[in-house]
Amino acid sequence: MLAAAFSHRFCQERHRFPSKVRSLSEGPADGRASRELGEEEEGSSSKPGGHNILVAVRSRALLPQERSAGGHAIITICNGTTVILEDPHTTAADDYLRLNKSKERRYHFDQALEETAQNLEVYERTTRFLIPSVIQGFNATVFAYGATSAGKTHTMLGYPGEPGIMLLTLRDLFSEVANQKSNLHFEIKCSFLEVYNENVRDLLRPDSDFLDIREDPVKGMCVAGISEVGGLESAEEIMALLHQGNKNRTTEATGANVTSSRSHAVLQVMVHQRDKTADIVAHVNLGKLSMIDLAGSERASQTNNKGMRMIEGANINRSLLALGNCITALSSAVAFVPYRDSKMTRLLKDSLGGNCRTVMIANVSPCHINYEDTHNTLKYANRAKNIKTKAVRNVVQVNYHVSKYTEIIKDLRSEIQELKAKLAVPEAHPDMGEEELDTKQSVKWKHELMQNFEERVRIKRRLIDLAHETKNQMVQKSHAQVGISQWESGRQAFGPSVRFT
């Protein structure tokens, strides 16, 4: 009671005298980035999409079985950024070193969400600002971290009545793409995999063999042989694939969770964006959004695991320990980071310390029985705040072959016809007098606009003709060089035997 009263008093004092807490939520009220993504400037870590990983903590409500066992909450959320972990009062009577000593700890994060927060609020405060950056060609990652039965899968996947971050992110992503389709061309692909017992498996092709992880100089960490489904037009299509993959995901019942995830699941959405106007050189922005539902760390004494479940739990703890070691190394800015200790840490290499904008949602249990697991989760989340990443736009320059030029000219002509049709539609004005006054000016603007487009087409066709001429000159040059080399070789072969009289 005394600790709870002190915590309440602490929250009141913080409302009166707000301190300078590191927060990525400062900036626009809608949570979107307020400046050009990828720029370098001082203090950018205090804005959404800055160089630091955005770390959020979410506390769930007490479960019915925890209440029936006499469990009570030991977590208090203040100001949406501060987490207070109270003393569970479980110290033994003969432990004189810890007797009458408070274990209360306070942590400050970018976002802290109470048990009443819905998935939509979690999404708005943590993940929504990533969508414009993915469309513009940046990499982004969202992953849930925490102990078993802490609510990670509920946060990422949700259920039909309350969709999780994955579905909410995909809906807004496709909505943003639909708004920009008039000027840009998009191609969206997705893949879904799991890491089970340190083996990578394709959830969209469950009959396939285990896959290997490769490091590509352009794409970064990627999985060789993973199936990518393209031609996606809506979030519902990806969610259908997600539900199909979830049926193939490994889940089992344990003493702590009826549907415990026995593997780490990774959903990756690739967005390729380029200008809709055809050209002989295309600049393609490659954005990749990774959404990860990690399996939870667990204690055999709480889960009552035996046999295969115990082996799975050991491999889960091993990969999460490797992830914790990477977080510790990155926050300490040491030279060597042990990414290769686990398949999961290799997949997260770019997300944690490379070219990516990352959101980490640490899920914790408020029950005093899970004090140690909650404390460890908060410690690692607190360390992750110090990790810095450097996001760079992924742009690929594609030079089309000469055989593609005919299609480019066809696309340009169709674009001109489409623009002519748009300009031919009369615009309705409420004031007819103003329409009569502006008729000549509008006709003049339309005429100038059409001239500009026709000049643009002529220039592009001239460029294509020049490219053809350059190719022909290069071919003639190569033929001449071959003839000269043949003539010189023949002269050297017969030169000494030739005599002039």
Side-chain angles (χ1 to χ4, degrees):
M1 294 294 293
L2 182 61
F6 181 79
S7 302
H8 179 69
R9 179 63 178 172
F10 173 76
C11 293
Q12 291 180 341
E13 292 297 325
R14 287 187 57 83
H15 279 293
R16 292 176 56 195
F17 306 102
S19 60
K20 294 182 179 179
V21 179
R22 172 189 172 274
S23 174
L24 295 186
S25 60
E26 298 174 2
D30 61 352
R32 299 179 185 271
S34 59
R35 61 184 179 85
E36 178 68 18
L37 298 175
E39 292 181 356
E40 297 285 338
E41 65 179 40
E42 290 295 328
S44 60
S45 62
S46 63
K47 301 178 182 179
H51 302 317
N52 291 66
I53 291 179
L54 189 150
V55 181
V57 173
R58 185 185 190 185
S59 174
R60 63 164 172 80
L62 285 173
L63 301 177
Q65 57 267 29
E66 292 174 343
R67 294 183 183 275
S68 61
H72 63 273
I74 58 173
I75 286 182
T76 305
I77 307 295
C78 293
N79 297 336
T81 56
T82 304
V83 179
I84 301 176
L85 182 63
E86 301 173 6
D87 187 353
H89 302 291
T90 57
T91 304
D94 57 348
D95 191 353
Y96 297 102
L97 292 176
R98 295 179 175 84
L99 198 62
N100 298 325
K101 289 187 177 181
S102 175
K103 298 179 183 177
E104 186 176 279
R105 292 174 172 84
R106 298 182 185 86
Y107 299 93
H108 302 286
F109 297 99
D110 304 311
Q111 298 290 342
L113 301 113
E114 300 179 357
E115 60 184 45
T116 57
Q118 301 294 318
N119 283 341
L120 179 60
E121 181 181 354
V122 178
Y123 164 72
E124 292 283 348
R125 293 172 59 178
T126 61
T127 311
R128 186 175 182 179
F129 77 95
L130 295 176
I131 295 176
S133 62
V134 173
I135 293 177
Q136 293 173 9
F138 291 88
N139 295 336
T141 299
V142 184
F143 69 95
Y145 179 84
T148 186
S149 74
K152 298 181 299 301
T153 302
H154 170 69
T155 299
M156 297 303 297
L157 295 176
Y159 55 90
E162 185 181 355
I165 287 179
M166 288 186 177
L167 178 57
L168 295 172
T169 304
L170 293 173
R171 282 179 179 174
D172 279 0
L173 176 65
F174 278 96
S175 176
E176 190 71 21
V177 167
N179 293 336
Q180 301 184 23
K181 267 191 172 181
S182 58
N183 300 323
L184 300 171
H185 175 77
F186 291 93
E187 182 182 1
I188 300 178
K189 302 178 182 179
C190 84
S191 62
F192 195 28
L193 60 92
E194 74 170 356
V195 181
Y196 173 67
N197 283 343
E198 288 302 303
N199 292 315
V200 180
R201 192 164 69 100
D202 190 350
L203 290 176
L204 299 181
R205 290 192 307 167
D207 299 333
S208 62
D209 296 331
F210 295 135
L211 306 176
D212 295 326
I213 301 175
R214 298 284 185 265
E215 187 167 5
D216 188 88
V218 177
K219 298 180 180 180
M221 303 305 299
C222 56
V223 179
I226 190 72
S227 59
E228 295 182 350
V229 180
L232 300 172
E233 297 293 337
S234 65
E236 284 68 24
E237 294 180 6
I238 295 185
M239 290 308 298
L241 295 173
L242 184 63
H243 291 311
Q244 174 189 345
N246 274 328
K247 293 179 182 179
N248 301 323
R249 189 180 176 188
T250 307
T251 58
E252 295 290 344
T254 65
N257 195 350
V258 179
T259 57
S260 176
S261 302
R262 314 309 294 166
S263 64
H264 310 296
V266 181
L267 174 66
Q268 288 188 331
V269 181
M270 284 69 69
V271 180
H272 296 181
Q273 176 235 91
R274 60 177 174 84
D275 195 353
K276 206 167 187 179
T277 303
D279 202 346
I280 58 177
V281 178
H283 298 275
V284 183
N285 295 330
L286 307 178
K288 182 171 68 174
L289 174 63
S290 302
M291 293 175 282
I292 304 169
D293 177 22
L294 293 175
S297 60
E298 55 189 36
R299 299 171 186 264
S301 59
Q302 294 181 358
T303 57
N304 298 321
N305 287 342
K306 296 180 181 179
M308 191 61 191
R309 302 289 83 78
M310 182 171 288
I311 296 175
E312 292 171 351
N315 285 321
I316 291 172
N317 291 339
R318 172 188 168 188
S319 62
L320 293 176
L321 177 62
L323 176 59
N325 293 335
C326 290
I327 291 175
T328 302
L330 288 168
S331 61
S332 304
V334 297
F336 174 74
V337 181
Y339 290 115
R340 290 186 173 272
D341 287 355
S342 171
K343 295 286 182 68
M344 196 65 231
T345 52
R346 288 192 66 192
L347 285 173
L348 288 174
K349 180 179 179 181
D350 293 333
S351 304
L352 292 174
N355 176 23
C356 191
R357 300 192 183 280
T358 305
V359 173
M360 173 182 177
I361 303 176
N363 293 82
V364 294
S365 167
C367 186
H368 77 283
I369 302 174
N370 302 321
Y371 171 80
E372 295 296 336
D373 292 332
T374 300
H375 185 207
N376 290 333
T377 301
L378 292 175
K379 282 197 303 183
Y380 282 119
N382 192 53
R383 291 175 184 171
K385 293 189 304 182
N386 300 321
I387 299 175
K388 293 187 177 182
T389 59
K390 184 180 180 182
V392 181
R393 191 192 306 270
N394 304 310
V395 182
V396 177
Q397 193 175 37
V398 180
N399 295 317
Y400 291 113
H401 193 263
V402 177
S403 59
K404 188 79 173 178
Y405 289 172
T406 305
E407 298 180 13
I408 294 174
I409 295 175
K410 182 180 178 182
D411 293 339
L412 288 171
R413 287 175 176 172
S414 63
E415 184 181 357
I416 290 175
Q417 293 298 328
E418 183 179 345
L419 291 171
K420 283 182 178 180
K422 289 182 179 180
L423 291 174
V425 177
E427 297 181 358
H429 291 280
D431 191 350
M432 297 302 295
E434 292 184 1
E435 181 181 3
E436 293 176 359
L437 293 175
D438 296 339
T439 300
K440 293 183 179 180
Q441 188 67 25
S442 63
V443 170
K444 180 180 178 182
W445 286 345
K446 290 180 181 180
H447 181 67
E448 291 179 355
L449 184 62
M450 293 307 304
Q451 284 183 339
N452 290 335
F453 277 111
E454 290 175 357
E455 182 67 21
R456 184 179 179 183
V457 173
R458 284 196 294 270
I459 292 173
K460 288 185 178 291
R461 293 187 64 178
R462 180 57 181 164
L463 288 174
I464 294 173
D465 293 338
L466 290 174
H468 277 292
E469 292 178 5
T470 303
K471 294 285 185 181
N472 293 332
Q473 290 177 0
M474 291 177 65
V475 171
Q476 294 176 2
K477 181 180 178 181
S478 61
H479 286 322
Q481 288 178 346
V482 170
I484 291 172
S485 60
Q486 291 177 351
W487 178 77
E488 289 180 348
S489 60
R491 182 180 178 184
Q492 291 177 359
F494 300 101
S497 60
V498 176
R499 296 185 181 278
F500 296 95
T501 58

